[in-house]
Amino acid sequence: MSETTSIKKQKKPLLNGRRALPSNNSNAEENEVPEMEVFGLTPRGFNPKDYLHVVDIHVFKEPYEINKQQHHTDKYYSPKLIVRRGQPFQIQIDFNRPYKPDTDQFWLEYLIGRYPQQNKGTYIPVLVGDELKPGEWGAKITHKENNSIRLSIMSSATCIIGKFRLYVAISSPFGIFRTRRNAETDTYILFNPWCQQDAVFLDDEKEREEYVLNDVGVIFHGDVNDIKLRSWSYGQFEEDILDACLFLMDKAELELSGRGNPIKIVRVASAVINSKDDDGVIAGSWDNSYTYGVAPSIWTGSVDILLEYYSSRQPVRYGQCWVFAGVFNTFLRCLGIPARVITNYSSAHDNNANLQLDFYLDEEGKLDTKTTKDSIWNYHCWNEAWMSRPDLPVGFGGWQVVDATPQETSDGMYRCGPTSVQAIKHGHVCFQFDAPFVFAEVNSDIVYSRRERNGAQVIEKIDMTHVGKLIVTKEIGSDGMMDITEEYKFQEGSDEERLALDTAVMYGVKKQITQDTVYYPQTDVDMDFQVQKAILGSDFKVTIAFKNKSQNYYSATAYFSGNIVFYTGVMKSEFKNQTFNVTLAPSSSSTFDVVIKSSEYLGELLDQASFHFFVTARINETGKILAVQKATVLEIPMLHIKTQGETVAGREMFVTVEFTNPLNQTLENVTLRLEGPGVLRTMKKDFRQIPANSTLIWEVKCTPKRSGLRKLIASLNCDALRHVYGELNVQIQKL
């Protein structure tokens, strides 16, 4: 049974007293359109075929034909016509006889949803005229030959985004004749960053190629002192992905009339990408237990996630911030909204948005884990989407933060954005949406404080530069890293930065005023530490350095704490602690090494091999406390990908994935995953065991579909080892 037929048999929905028609919030549903509307009584002997009627409609929907070429939609694996709004496209109509403009009258009708209405933009009659007006619906005849005419059709630059049904209506003295419902002429209309009248217009061709047309990207992770990257297959042009993305708007019940507005679309999408309150696409898990799904680290791209959700209608388990951001990026680029994935290193999760993260110390200077509740994520990924913001004052359009990772509710749902990056930088957090939360993620201070026996709170240190230390995204046209920190904040300590902070406070961001507290910053002695880079499974050391800048003799009692943490900064367990004494001569420096053995951490390690080290030292002569904390990540082994034979589109080729187990233990229940847009669909293989220090080789056959520079991405996953990746750029030749 066809989709249309099944819809026709549904019961007519009950109306209510508030509206004449039910909500029109499904692109998938259709209405019945009469093939003939008769004007009163028809005379005896009337035959519709005596009048002009349509024999065939050609919409030039092949990738090599004019429409998809001119609209930059030739990469979509879809047999349907896909065009971008505000730009003309071509169709041809074959009639039963030559068209006579003096006596024949016809028009086009584009419909979307079950209850089309002209004033809602869901029923669009397109009349044939002499010229096309930029950014407005219209059609003109560009060529006539025999019984055929060629039309150039202009769509509105504010048109609804979705799948439209096309009918040709012909007027006769006795009624209107329409073409039959024909799925072959369905037309997808997308956002158009190439059109100046479109809200998502982007005027740089290289940026459009990167942020709209690039179907593979790089996501940065790790730690600010040890930045790592992984490739991610966005796959926005793959088969059924466009339909899956349109379904997400149906799932979110966004009215069709609102689907021409990118502000509304990205806001509802930031909620529906996560499953927290609406059974959306991805279920998040941060507890290192993935019993009912797969670990977030195994995903290599968005396609499998979106297609699984589209077919099952159930949340896909599991994801973490980079998975939410990767899938969101696919959604945005697929619909034509320029988008990129952002990584904020040392990202503050500040529940009450008071721009302050509190770390409490006990009397001896050790971290009090019972009272310290705030955490700093090693990194956090979100998205930026490019659009104008007519709802805000001039100057706040451009890149907007949108975040699908469920952290805090906004207007009752787990979502975030769109938030103007310009508004964040200048402290204008009064502008919607969710600006105070995003401002706190990149601007919070870390306050180390200690409560004395008399109840007085003593602030030992305020670190104003740790949070939001580095904000990055992928470079345009390469896999390099682009530092965009200055797009979010002025230079630390500058007059502009203080003004932005004062502006944010003026507009309601809470800047905690610590009353009944004493703060005398320590200036005589500096303390810092460095962590030796190390490979997973090896020993390494942490070197703590002290510098006495005064002419006084000092002695200090120092405490070292090593913790296994989630990448969100939440502690799992302390695996090492050590107390030591330091003597500091005037104007001198000294160091102390702490050795970390693999046997101390391997049994406790989490997903991303993340550690958090905390060092405090009490100056015995003054009672002052020094405090420094740092996160670090171990080096995880790579997968190696190779190709064999010729790499030509349409011809079989071989891909080999190789991995050597670096641990002195057998890896069990190992899953390998390989994908590459345009080269091969995702392939998976399970291995029961990989013995210690042994090498695994997996060979697969595939037939590339698309020529050009393509990327293969692989991942390996098991309980003992996660976040193992590999990638290879492959130049696929034309046949």
Side-chain angles (χ1 to χ4, degrees), residues 618-636:
R618 186 186 190 93
I619 308 297
N620 296 324
E621 287 76 10
T622 64
K624 291 300 294 179
I625 289 177
L626 308 171
V628 182
Q629 61 172 314
K630 285 182 184 177
T632 191
V633 182
L634 292 180
E635 292 291 328
I636 297 173

Side-chain angles (χ1 to χ4, degrees), residues 389-462:
R389 289 297 300 268
D391 57 324
L392 303 183
V394 173
F396 293 105
W399 289 117
Q400 311 290 316
V401 172
V402 284
D403 191 350
T405 301
Q407 295 182 89
E408 300 295 327
T409 57
S410 171
D411 296 334
M413 297 186 76
Y414 281 93
R415 57 184 165 190
C416 181
T419 311
S420 166
V421 173
Q422 272 292 92
I424 296 300
K425 180 170 183 174
H426 292 275
H428 291 271
V429 296
C430 54
F431 297 135
Q432 57 188 12
F433 299 86
D434 310 310
F437 181 81
V438 179
F439 189 87
E441 285 184 298
V442 299
N443 281 298
S444 293
D445 294 341
I446 302 175
V447 177
Y448 300 93
S449 60
R450 172 174 56 88
R451 192 165 294 281
E452 295 191 326
R453 291 181 181 178
N454 64 3
Q457 186 181 358
V458 178
I459 295 177
E460 297 290 355
K461 181 181 178 182
I462 300 176

Side-chain angles (χ1 to χ4, degrees), residues 664-733:
N664 293 319
Q665 69 182 70
T666 298
L667 300 178
E668 297 185 341
N669 300 320
V670 179
T671 300
L672 266 178
R673 190 181 191 98
L674 176 68
E675 76 170 289
V679 180
L680 52 81
R681 291 293 289 266
T682 305
M683 304 181 77
K684 291 181 283 188
K685 189 168 178 65
D686 295 325
F687 298 87
R688 286 189 61 192
Q689 290 186 331
I690 305 177
N693 302 308
S694 68
T695 298
L696 167 83
I697 297 175
W698 178 35
E699 186 175 273
V700 300
K701 287 190 292 187
C702 63
T703 304
K705 293 182 285 186
R706 195 185 300 160
S707 61
L709 185 63
R710 311 307 305 159
K711 182 167 280 191
L712 298 171
I713 309 168
S715 73
L716 177 144
N717 191 76
C718 64
D719 286 344
L721 201 58
R722 293 196 173 118
H723 288 269
V724 180
Y725 304 114
E727 60 184 66
L728 179 70
N729 287 323
V730 183
Q731 187 69 46
I732 305 295
Q733 307 297 328

Side-chain angles (χ1 to χ4, degrees), residues 472-491:
V472 301
T473 190
K474 176 187 174 299
E475 279 185 337
I476 295 169
S478 79
D479 288 348
M481 183 181 79
M482 182 163 66
D483 182 350
I484 58 168
T485 311
E486 288 193 356
E487 293 186 20
Y488 279 82
K489 53 205 292 193
F490 293 100
Q491 194 168 352

Side-chain angles (χ1 to χ4, degrees), residues 112 157 355 366 395 401 408 413 471 494 497 511 570 583 607 675 702:
I112 187 169
L355 299 186
K366 298 177 183 177
V401 172
E408 300 295 327
M413 297 186 76
I471 305 170
S494 67
E497 190 231 5
K511 179 72 172 171
V570 175
T583 302
D607 268 15
E675 76 170 289
C702 63

Side-chain angles (χ1 to χ4, degrees), residues 355-593:
L355 299 186
Q356 182 170 309
L357 299 174
D358 294 303
F359 286 80
Y360 298 104
L361 310 175
D362 63 18
E363 289 182 19
E364 298 177 6
K366 298 177 183 177
L367 182 68
D368 188 339
T369 56
K370 291 182 180 178
T371 54
T372 300
K373 301 300 180 188
D374 287 334
S375 68
I376 303 166
W377 295 38
N378 288 6
Y379 66 93
H380 178 50
C381 297
W382 60 65
N383 302 80
E384 285 180 359
W386 180 272
M387 66 190 70
S388 63
R389 289 297 300 268
D391 57 324
L392 303 183
V394 173
F396 293 105
W399 289 117
Q400 311 290 316
V401 172
V402 284
D403 191 350
T405 301
Q407 295 182 89
E408 300 295 327
T409 57
S410 171
D411 296 334
M413 297 186 76
Y414 281 93
R415 57 184 165 190
C416 181
T419 311
S420 166
V421 173
Q422 272 292 92
I424 296 300
K425 180 170 183 174
H426 292 275
H428 291 271
V429 296
C430 54
F431 297 135
Q432 57 188 12
F433 299 86
D434 310 310
F437 181 81
V438 179
F439 189 87
E441 285 184 298
V442 299
N443 281 298
S444 293
D445 294 341
I446 302 175
V447 177
Y448 300 93
S449 60
R450 172 174 56 88
R451 192 165 294 281
E452 295 191 326
R453 291 181 181 178
N454 64 3
Q457 186 181 358
V458 178
I459 295 177
E460 297 290 355
K461 181 181 178 182
I462 300 176
D463 188 341
M464 299 180 180
T465 63
H466 188 90
V467 169
K469 188 166 281 189
L470 180 66
I471 305 170
V472 301
T473 190
K474 176 187 174 299
E475 279 185 337
I476 295 169
S478 79
D479 288 348
M481 183 181 79
M482 182 163 66
D483 182 350
I484 58 168
T485 311
E486 288 193 356
E487 293 186 20
Y488 279 82
K489 53 205 292 193
F490 293 100
Q491 194 168 352
E492 297 283 0
S494 67
D495 291 342
E496 295 92 342
E497 190 231 5
R498 279 192 289 274
L499 179 59
L501 183 61
D502 291 343
T503 304
V505 172
M506 180 181 72
Y507 283 129
V509 170
K510 291 172 285 185
K511 179 72 172 171
Q512 190 139 321
I513 307 299
T514 46
Q515 297 175 341
D516 302 324
T517 60
V518 183
Y519 178 44
Y520 300 112
Q522 166 66 45
T523 56
D524 283 0
V525 180
D526 287 341
M527 179 182 73
D528 199 1
F529 67 85
Q530 300 298 325
V531 183
Q532 179 186 3
K533 284 199 173 185
I535 298 171
L536 179 70
S538 65
D539 300 346
F540 62 97
K541 67 180 180 181
V542 179
T543 301
I544 302 150
F546 296 87
K547 185 177 183 180
N548 182 0
K549 297 183 289 185
S550 74
Q551 297 302 310
N552 304 319
Y553 279 93
Y554 287 127
S555 63
T557 302
Y559 178 77
F560 172 89
S561 174
N563 305 282
I564 303 288
V565 293
F566 298 90
Y567 84 97
T568 56
V570 175
M571 186 191 302
K572 179 196 176 192
S573 60
E574 184 182 59
F575 72 91
K576 189 177 183 76
N577 60 65
Q578 189 170 333
T579 303
F580 55 94
N581 296 310
V582 182
T583 302
L584 300 169
S587 302
S588 68
S589 299
S590 64
T591 60
F592 186 89
D593 288 342

